Amino acid sequence: MSTSDSRPVIGVIGGSGIYDIEGLTDKRWQKVTSPFGDPSDDLLFGTLDGQPMVFLPRHGRGHRIAPSDINFRANIDALKRSGVTDVISVSAVGSLREDLTPGTFVIVDQFIDRTFAREKSFFGTGLVAHVSMAHPVCNRLGRHLEAAARDCDIRVVSGGTYLVMEGPQFSSLAESRLYRSWGCDVIGMTNMPEAKLAREAELCYASVAMVTDFDCWHPDHDAVTVEAIISVLLSNADKARGMLKKAAPEIQSDTAAPACGCRSALQHALITAPDARDPELLKRLDAVAGRVLTA
């Protein structure tokens, strides 16, 4: 898929409950090979109202991959190789705030990364790079998603801190209370290191956190049934599809996209001297960092 016309190409990473995108035409599932291993699944290519779109189920079709076993590097690399410029991450989360009730969408703008068992960078020995994560999401992309959610009458909150835990177990009560004391708003298991890798790959990245229930700090947590959570999960998935359909043409026509700072995140990030760089690592980074490596 070509991006030579500089127009955005949307890639959607679907979380729990979102395993495809309704309304896509000219659909085809295609295996995309990555030097970082296998992505979670084949990628679904298609068009939505004439706009190219690429979809990747984060946990694989059938939800077969646990959070800690997701190959985040392969997922992001495969999207970049497929011509994607703008990544919309959609994921189910628990709420850490009384006012963020089930069914609320949070357009996340900050993360606290508590994961510890995942590969978190494309770079390393042989080519060191440091990108800024002070503002870990693309605000331009987030604004489009917020507007689309409001147009779809979805209860949406702009801004919020997502605590990313390792999993697969949920939090203890003490942990849940700790995260609330830190000012976190929602909790989940999948947006890190996904957001870090998207930044390294110079992709615009926005996170839509869909609240399914309250985390265990809430006094009513133990009374929530699995059936109730699944009902909210499915309802959220339907709302998310409507939001994506509404947002897609606005993202596609955004004339500010080519100049977005996310797309030049590596401009001053490479530290290793050119003559000291590992040739084998350079080969693996042809998609992620090709813009700066061939400049």
Side-chain angles (χ1 to χ4, degrees):
M1 181 178 294
S2 173
T3 59
S4 58
D5 59 5
S6 298
R7 290 182 300 171
V9 175
I10 299 173
V12 177
I13 302 176
S16 302
I18 301 180
Y19 307 111
D20 59 20
I21 295 292
E22 292 179 359
L24 280 184
T25 57
D26 305 318
K27 294 192 296 185
R28 72 184 191 280
W29 287 94
Q30 179 177 324
K31 181 178 180 62
V32 177
T33 302
S34 168
F36 294 95
D38 292 329
S40 295
D41 206 324
D42 293 349
L43 275 63
L44 177 61
F45 292 79
T47 57
L48 185 65
D49 294 335
Q51 176 184 339
M53 183 174 285
V54 183
F55 174 78
L56 175 62
R58 184 185 285 116
H59 298 279
R61 283 169 285 182
H63 203 115
R64 56 187 175 78
I65 304 175
S68 297
D69 296 329
I70 295 169
N71 189 338
F72 291 96
R73 294 196 299 179
N75 285 354
I76 295 297
D77 179 77
L79 289 171
K80 184 70 180 279
R81 290 179 186 279
S82 300
V84 166
T85 60
D86 293 49
V87 176
I88 300 172
S89 167
V90 185
S91 57
V93 297
S95 172
L96 293 168
R97 282 173 38 188
E98 189 78 51
D99 59 324
L100 296 181
T101 55
T104 303
F105 283 19
V106 180
I107 310 299
V108 174
D109 65 352
Q110 286 293 329
F111 296 100
I112 293 179
D113 185 1
R114 295 281 290 171
T115 64
F116 53 81
R118 309 174 187 191
E119 293 286 352
K120 298 190 180 188
S121 178
F122 290 111
F123 300 92
T125 301
L127 182 53
V128 178
H130 302 286
V131 298
S132 172
M133 291 298 294
H135 303 286
V137 300
C138 178
N139 290 328
R140 175 189 61 82
L141 195 53
R143 287 193 296 270
H144 287 305
L145 293 168
E146 180 192 358
R150 295 194 188 283
D151 286 346
C152 293
D153 294 323
I154 297 170
R155 187 164 64 252
V156 60
V157 173
S158 176
T161 298
Y162 181 145
L163 187 291
V164 191
M165 60 180 295
E166 185 63 54
Q169 302 85 0
F170 293 115
S171 304
S172 70
L173 179 57
E175 288 169 330
S176 189
R177 288 172 173 167
L178 175 64
Y179 302 149
R180 274 171 50 80
S181 76
W182 287 353
C184 300
D185 301 292
V186 295
I187 183 169
M189 302 180 187
T190 58
N191 274 200
M192 281 293 178
E194 190 175 85
K196 291 178 177 177
L197 294 165
R199 179 59 52 83
E200 287 188 342
E202 297 191 323
L203 296 172
C204 296
Y205 178 93
S207 173
V208 181
M210 307 180 300
V211 176
T212 58
D213 63 338
F214 289 106
D215 201 47
C216 63
W217 65 271
H218 197 279
D220 297 332
H221 173 82
D222 291 340
V224 177
T225 64
V226 173
E227 291 79 8
I229 293 175
I230 291 176
S231 176
V232 174
L233 185 69
L234 295 176
S235 175
N236 282 350
D238 287 339
K239 293 175 183 176
R241 294 186 185 98
M243 176 195 67
L244 292 170
K245 186 176 179 65
K246 191 78 174 179
E250 300 302 320
I251 296 170
Q252 172 75 358
S253 62
D254 188 348
T255 58
C260 186
C262 302
R263 300 190 184 188
S264 58
L266 291 176
Q267 192 63 40
H268 304 291
L270 304 184
I271 303 299
T272 305
D275 60 355
R277 295 173 181 175
D278 179 1
E280 291 303 314
L281 183 52
L282 292 179
K283 291 178 183 178
R284 300 175 77 191
L285 292 167
D286 62 325
V288 167
R291 185 189 69 83
V292 291
L293 293 177
T294 59

